[in-house]
Amino acid sequence: MEDQSQPLATPAIPYKKYKLANGLTVLVHEDHSDPLVHVDVTYHVGSAREEAGKSGFAHFFEHMMFQGSEHVADEEHFKIITAAGGEMNGTTDNDRTNYYQTVPVNQLEKVLWLEADRMGFLLNAVTEKKFEVQRETVKNERGQRIDNQPYGRLSEKVAEAFYPAGHPYSWPVIGYMDDLNRANVNDVKAFFLRWYGPNNATLTIGGAVKAEQILPLVQQYFGSIPKGPEVAAAPKQLFSLNQDNYVSFEDNVHLPLLYLAFPTVYARHQDEAALDILAQILGGSNSSLLYKNLLKNQLAVQAQASHSCMELACEFTLLALPHPASGKTLADIEKIIRQSLLDFEQRGVTDDDLAKVKAQIEAQSVFGLQSVQGKVSQLAHNETFFATPDLVASDIKRYQDVTKADVLRVYQQYLKNKNAVVMSVVPKGQRQAVAKADNFVFKRPDFTEKSSTSAADLTERKATDNFDRSQMPKASANPAVTLPQTWQTELASGIKVLGAQTTETPTTALLLKIPLGLYYETPDQLGISALLAAMLNEGTKNYSTEAMSLALEKLGSSISFSAGDQYLTVFVSSLSKNLSPTLALLEEKLLQPAFAADDFTRLQQQSLQGLQHAEKNAAYLARKHLRRLLFADHIRAYPAEGTVASLSALTPAKLQAYYQQQVKPKGSMLIVASDLAQPELEQQLSQLFKGWQGQAPALNTRIPPAKAKTGVIYLVDKPDAPQAEIRLAKRSLPMDISGEFFRANLMNFVLGGNFNSRINLNLREDKGYTYGAFTGFSGDKYAGSFIASAAVRSDVAAAAISGFLTEINQYRNQGITAAELEFMRQAINQSDALQYETPQAKLGFMSQILEYQLKPDFVQNRNQIVKSISQSDINALAAKHLDPASMLILVVGDAKTLKPQLQTLGWPVIDYPMSGN
């Protein structure tokens, strides 16, 4: 046993480390600040452990591990965790796969039982049917996240040209679909037997636990699982390119993109930190060289540099999207990027370069300790790859130790005159726009043979136990949840303040909400709120954009402005020791904006290009057109980002006039979560915004009835789209905190409000039509909607709509079952502990209190509603709100494929938009 519960260095993540006889590594971190526990099981297997021709197996098993095991029924893992008031998921990358749950601490034994069952008793539950359904689900995931996304294939295509043939990073994590199509169920079972033994896993438990008390449970559930084959450390594979590999592909994009990738080192190599700092100097912020050479002068709408590291290799990347008005080609952009490297060589490294990165690393390290999940994830990652769980202080030190000479040295060693992959992504039909003709062609070996792995080839490892694993552990009483203790005050400017103390980390988070946004706009000035927020993120009367960015970076602080429907939102994050200068910069940014003409023109053009880029995204088109259909005669019908016409008509003078009219303190809210005590925090806040006065004009909240037809299908053509975005929708209730809107979402929970909902189980888990299908009520104080949504394969769009309609009608007519009602009650009422853990979570919770003028005990009132709502109450809500005849259907996809299918459903199909309406 390794005891680091009293670490010498700070900051740190205390832990105790154990090793079971079967090789399982167990880490325990005690954190009694909230009645929660986070459990992470990380297997040291990712796509890098796969064989050429058998890609995608690690990611595929991320799916299969949720499909039930020998003692856990199909689809029950998600359901058990949801009913326990928990959250769960899994992720796969090149080097590892992890599965994690956050639950109330009384549910820990149940989680250990679940994780042990799928580690030691999975294979008998992996059936041919589950295999086929999850294979379809993975295809849908690829379609949604890669093939139907602008630039979605970029990383896959770069990897093919970047890594040597056969390198384990040369194929995508999600895999090639023909590899999965060739595989049989026994292939993936063999993969599991090779890599998913306890000796290739780390179990990390963090939260309100005591190591000595939970270790016997770990031993009981995991100790008898036999170890798997020995796993040797994968060799690091440093390499270089023997030429610049120019490659390209056409995509359904608005703007071309240039991407350069240089091979460097591997994770925690002695040069990693210096390379990270070099990336920040070149293109990591508004004080970087790429910002100066490409963004500030409007030659590009996006430009950045980064250094990303994995277990076996790292990539130093630079990318840019040229501004169409600049006239610059991808070849020109490549020259400017390469000149920026030479500029760095001439400029050298400044004291500020090092100071800002070192401050950011310190701040990020501290912010990473704000949640149990964040700490557990760090422990699990570091143990898996470096056999040293807590590296927080070590990471800070290795960046603090980087010198100017180190940064210059790594530039000389890894970038200067070195070969790279140069990827051009160009709009369809514009092959001539590539930076340079392709000189590299990826030739994937032809894997045509079907796999011959049979059941006889598998040797299963079986545990021998002295207890009955089929009995799910019972949970003790739900732990008492302590709501954040809050205090209120009001600044001299009229801003209402709500604060809470949170002492886990020496940090302060602020959320300032100012009445401003789409609701305050007129149709001829659409997007002005979003553009104003972007301008407030820029320079001020006393700081250029670069100087402001540098000042914040040297403090390790961040200030970000954004605009929505009702509020201009300002989020501030700071180490508490740097709060005073951070607040001074906040005041400067909010009250002294420069409204510089150059900044305005650049941001206006970026917004216009971003809007045209978004039009290539099917999910964006669905959101945009659905708003128009549901709210046609109200400003809410329009996209908050504006339109090409409205953005083009804006001027700096219009923006400044809007700022003068709307940015006022009266009616604004400031929510604060800090480790500072109330008196000290109030004293600092009292100095904020002195002399700022005024109140914005009142909001017109009247929202007229919808005009769109119901009982019809509106079809938006997105030619050649591999998927269809489906929405079933209607106008519905405005948001309330504990009224009918709240009750309607309780009703919706089992229909489409969780992973185990009727609709998701039907369309994803039973049919394999989609990566996810959900329903829900959403809204604000003035209006709301009910929306059912999914992205599905184009060939099953009509069948998926039929599935939606069948489930909605059946739920409306037959109602909720007693078992479903109990499931909903458990899931909702036991999840309170997850709502207030981090400072940011507390800000969201407290924001509701101010906006809706609630008493803090509103949570108990809602819990009582959940406990007392009856089957008949739920069924009455379903009958009232779920009539398909009151809904419209919107489908975005390839019309030539979709229209014949949709016409078989019996609903009129209307091509939309028609005549611009």
Side-chain angles (χ1 to χ4, degrees):
M1 193 263 282
E2 178 182 320
D3 189 342
Q4 294 291 331
S5 55
Q6 299 295 327
L8 298 176
T10 56
I13 309 174
Y15 69 91
K16 292 180 180 178
K17 176 177 171 180
Y18 307 86
K19 181 82 79 170
L20 302 191
N22 59 9
L24 178 67
T25 300
V26 182
L27 304 173
V28 182
H29 165 68
E30 297 184 21
D31 177 352
H32 296 272
S33 58
D34 295 284
L36 292 172
V37 64
H38 183 81
V39 178
D40 178 290
V41 181
T42 296
Y43 294 89
H44 197 167
V45 55
S47 60
R49 300 285 197 183
E50 296 162 355
E51 303 172 36
K54 293 185 176 181
S55 66
F57 282 24
H59 172 261
F60 187 80
F61 250 101
E62 181 201 320
H63 285 252
M64 292 307 300
M65 293 278 269
F66 290 103
Q67 299 308 303
S69 47
E70 192 169 317
H71 306 103
V72 181
D74 298 356
E75 319 302 345
E76 282 294 300
H77 197 122
F78 260 108
K79 188 172 184 180
I80 289 168
I81 296 298
T82 303
E87 297 173 346
M88 65 178 296
N89 214 328
T91 64
T92 309
D93 64 22
N94 297 85
D95 301 311
R96 64 99 187 100
T97 305
N98 79 323
Y99 304 91
Y100 57 88
Q101 293 95 167
T102 306
V103 294
V105 67
N106 64 315
Q107 303 287 342
L108 172 60
E109 185 176 359
K110 197 176 292 182
V111 174
L112 297 177
W113 171 74
L114 286 166
E115 287 291 0
D117 212 62
R118 60 182 177 185
M119 179 185 285
F121 301 87
L122 183 78
L123 288 194
N124 288 340
V126 177
T127 63
E128 187 71 38
K129 179 183 178 183
K130 289 181 184 178
F131 172 76
E132 295 296 344
V133 168
Q134 291 309 309
R135 179 153 55 184
E136 292 304 310
T137 301
V138 170
K139 291 178 184 178
N140 279 303
E141 181 179 0
R142 181 184 170 92
Q144 185 172 330
R145 293 186 168 182
I146 298 175
D147 298 331
N148 208 26
Q149 287 290 330
Y151 313 108
R153 291 177 291 145
L154 174 64
S155 61
E156 179 179 311
K157 294 298 183 184
V158 168
E160 292 171 349
F162 188 78
Y163 293 102
H167 190 285
Y169 291 165
S170 63
W171 51 79
V173 173
I174 201 168
Y176 292 113
M177 293 304 101
D178 57 341
D179 285 353
L180 281 181
N181 286 337
R182 263 196 323 275
N184 66 38
V185 69
N186 293 312
D187 287 331
V188 295
K189 286 184 176 183
F191 187 83
F192 178 87
L193 287 169
R194 174 66 186 92
W195 298 110
Y196 284 78
N199 51 308
N200 196 36
T202 298
L203 168 65
T204 310
I205 303 166
V209 297
K210 293 224 172 265
E212 296 75 15
Q213 294 174 0
I214 64 173
L215 197 62
L217 291 174
V218 173
Q219 182 66 49
Q220 174 183 339
Y221 289 109
F222 290 88
S224 64
I225 299 173
K227 70 188 307 181
E230 291 300 321
V231 178
K236 313 300 183 190
Q237 301 194 28
L238 295 181
F239 62 93
S240 59
L241 298 167
N242 57 18
Q243 64 174 10
D244 283 328
N245 285 345
Y246 283 87
V247 287
S248 63
F249 69 94
E250 296 180 42
D251 199 2
N252 185 22
V253 295
H254 169 59
L255 291 175
L257 177 148
L258 187 78
Y259 187 98
L260 283 77
F262 295 84
T264 58
V265 290
Y266 49 82
R268 291 195 76 80
H269 183 280
Q270 61 184 10
D271 290 340
E272 181 190 9
L275 284 160
D276 288 348
I277 292 176
L278 175 61
Q280 281 293 109
I281 296 169
L282 287 172
S285 72
N286 285 349
S287 59
S288 68
L289 284 169
L290 290 185
Y291 174 85
K292 170 179 170 287
N293 292 347
L294 283 168
L295 292 176
K296 189 173 179 65
N297 54 17
Q298 299 182 55
L299 299 182
V301 296
Q302 184 180 342
Q304 64 191 54
S306 63
H307 184 238
S308 58
C309 281
M310 297 177 285
E311 182 180 16
L312 309 181
C314 303
E315 302 173 19
F316 196 103
T317 60
L318 305 101
L319 71 85
L321 285 77
H323 196 303
S326 71
K328 297 297 182 184
T329 65
L330 290 185
D332 297 329
I333 294 297
E334 182 187 355
K335 290 177 183 175
I336 295 170
I337 290 177
R338 293 188 184 275
Q339 181 60 48
S340 297
L341 297 178
L342 296 177
D343 290 350
F344 165 76
E345 193 173 350
Q346 294 296 317
R347 166 191 178 277
V349 183
T350 68
D351 291 336
D352 281 345
D353 287 335
L354 295 183
K356 71 180 185 182
V357 175
K358 292 175 180 181
Q360 288 175 304
I361 292 296
E362 179 190 1
Q364 289 166 7
S365 297
V366 174
F367 296 144
L369 306 179
Q370 291 181 331
S371 72
V372 172
Q373 179 173 351
K375 291 182 284 189
V376 164
S377 297
Q378 289 185 63
L379 292 173
H381 175 90
N382 292 331
E383 173 60 29
T384 298
F385 297 118
F386 314 116
T388 306
D390 178 25
L391 290 170
V392 177
S394 173
D395 277 333
I396 292 174
K397 184 177 187 306
R398 69 186 177 117
Y399 284 91
Q400 295 289 352
D401 288 347
V402 173
T403 66
K404 295 178 183 179
D406 290 330
V407 181
L408 288 168
R409 177 182 55 77
V410 297
Y411 165 76
Q412 299 277 352
Q413 185 172 346
Y414 300 104
L415 268 67
K416 184 178 181 181
N417 299 325
K418 296 298 187 290
N419 296 317
V421 168
V422 185
M423 170 65 74
S424 300
V425 185
V426 296
K428 288 186 176 180
Q430 297 185 27
R431 174 65 68 178
Q432 75 284 355
V434 302
K436 195 172 181 178
D438 291 13
N439 65 351
F440 175 89
V441 178
F442 175 67
K443 294 181 179 178
R444 186 164 176 253
D446 183 18
F447 301 102
T448 55
E449 292 183 15
K450 283 280 184 182
S451 176
S452 58
T453 307
S454 68
D457 299 322
L458 307 177
T459 303
E460 192 173 353
R461 303 183 295 270
K462 296 292 289 185
T464 302
D465 294 306
N466 57 6
F467 70 101
D468 184 359
R469 284 188 183 264
S470 67
Q471 297 300 307
M472 182 171 66
K474 301 290 187 185
S476 59
N478 216 34
V481 177
T482 303
L483 296 177
Q485 294 295 308
T486 61
W487 50 268
Q488 295 197 38
T489 187
E490 186 170 312
L491 302 185
S493 57
I495 298 176
K496 296 185 184 301
V497 179
L498 183 64
Q501 187 174 23
T502 175
T503 57
E504 292 175 58
T505 56
T507 59
T508 299
L510 297 92
L511 182 67
L512 176 62
K513 299 179 74 170
I514 301 170
L516 176 154
L518 177 66
Y519 275 15
Y520 294 86
E521 298 175 3
T522 56
D524 63 337
Q525 60 174 190
L526 289 171
I528 193 169
S529 300
L531 190 54
L532 174 61
M535 283 291 285
L536 293 174
N537 281 317
E538 295 290 324
T540 69
K541 292 176 181 176
N542 300 304
Y543 289 79
S544 67
T545 297
E546 299 94 319
M548 176 59 74
S549 180
L550 179 60
L552 285 167
E553 287 165 352
K554 288 169 70 174
L555 294 170
S557 302
S558 65
I559 301 174
S560 61
F561 291 77
S562 61
D565 284 354
Q566 298 177 73
Y567 293 103
L568 174 71
T569 300
V570 192
F571 180 71
V572 182
S573 180
S574 173
L575 298 175
S576 294
K577 67 181 183 181
N578 295 332
L579 180 58
S580 182
T582 301
L583 291 178
L585 293 174
L586 168 64
E587 191 166 65
E588 172 77 19
K589 287 176 75 68
L590 186 61
L591 301 185
Q592 301 293 329
F595 291 108
D598 287 349
D599 286 342
F600 173 83
T601 303
R602 172 170 48 82
L603 293 172
Q604 182 188 43
Q605 290 301 312
Q606 286 180 351
S607 299
L608 285 166
Q609 298 308 319
L611 195 60
Q612 293 173 77
H613 168 71
E615 294 283 341
K616 300 293 185 179
N617 183 285
Y620 170 81
L621 292 174
R623 288 193 301 273
K624 170 187 166 182
H625 290 301
L626 190 60
R627 285 182 74 128
R628 194 68 188 272
L629 288 165
L630 293 180
F631 299 98
D633 286 336
H634 189 266
I635 198 68
R636 201 174 193 264
Y638 297 96
E641 56 272 22
T643 66
V644 170
S646 66
L647 286 172
S648 300
L650 294 176
T651 65
K654 290 180 180 178
L655 207 67
Q656 194 159 6
Y658 184 70
Y659 166 85
Q660 295 289 351
Q661 172 187 296
Q662 290 295 150
V663 181
K664 303 295 183 185
K666 201 105 170 132
S668 297
M669 299 174 286
L670 179 62
I671 304 100
V672 190
S674 174
D675 69 309
L676 301 176
Q678 178 182 348
E680 182 180 355
L681 193 54
E682 277 199 89
Q683 192 279 326
Q684 291 208 45
L685 294 177
S686 69
Q687 305 305 308
L688 193 61
F689 305 137
K690 280 192 168 182
W692 187 29
Q693 298 294 329
Q695 184 170 5
L699 175 65
N700 176 14
T701 60
R702 189 190 68 82
I703 298 182
K707 285 188 174 180
K709 296 179 180 179
T710 57
V712 302
I713 299 173
Y714 290 93
L715 176 60
V716 177
D717 187 22
K718 188 175 187 293
D720 302 321
Q723 286 193 311
E725 288 282 348
I726 295 172
R727 305 290 185 270
L728 286 75
K730 58 175 284 191
R731 284 272 291 275
S732 192
L733 299 161
M735 179 184 282
D736 57 48
I737 298 302
S738 55
E740 188 171 355
F741 178 89
F742 175 69
R743 290 172 168 83
N745 269 312
L746 297 181
M747 174 271 290
N748 175 74
F749 187 79
V750 299
L751 173 66
N754 74 96
F755 184 89
N756 283 83
S757 68
R758 293 185 180 189
I759 282 176
N760 196 55
L761 290 183
N762 181 333
L763 299 185
R764 171 180 161 140
E765 298 301 296
D766 294 343
K767 306 284 197 326
Y769 289 167
T770 178
Y771 184 54
F774 302 96
T775 63
F777 294 83
S778 62
D780 53 40
K781 287 189 287 189
Y782 312 112
S785 56
F786 170 82
I787 301 173
S789 63
V792 305
R793 297 195 327 262
S794 292
D795 63 309
V796 298
I801 290 172
S802 291
F804 268 118
L805 294 172
T806 297
E807 293 292 352
I808 290 171
N809 268 318
Q810 185 170 329
Y811 191 55
R812 179 173 183 258
N813 295 328
Q814 299 177 16
I816 193 170
T817 67
E820 287 174 329
L821 178 60
E822 184 57 28
F823 169 56
M824 181 275 291
R825 284 179 173 153
Q826 290 176 349
I828 301 295
N829 267 355
Q830 296 192 138
S831 64
D832 281 349
L834 279 66
Q835 307 304 315
Y836 328 112
E837 185 192 7
T838 65
Q840 197 155 358
K842 287 181 172 69
L843 293 182
F845 168 74
M846 294 191 296
S847 177
Q848 293 181 89
I849 293 176
L850 270 188
E851 184 173 354
Y852 288 87
Q853 300 178 342
L854 304 171
K855 295 180 179 179
D857 66 355
F858 80 91
V859 174
Q860 285 91 340
N861 295 335
R862 296 214 303 191
N863 287 347
Q864 188 55 45
I865 293 171
V866 176
K867 290 177 183 176
S868 62
I869 196 166
S870 66
Q871 256 182 292
S872 60
D873 294 333
I874 294 285
N875 294 343
L877 288 163
K880 179 178 179 181
H881 293 290
L882 297 180
D883 182 5
S886 67
M887 301 178 192
L888 59 85
I889 299 175
L890 173 69
V891 181
V892 179
D894 183 35
K896 65 180 180 294
T897 302
L898 295 171
K899 198 166 189 177
Q901 302 179 50
L902 300 178
Q903 288 172 333
T904 67
L905 293 172
W907 289 43
V909 179
I910 300 174
D911 293 322
Y912 184 85
M914 298 171 62
S915 306
N917 296 319

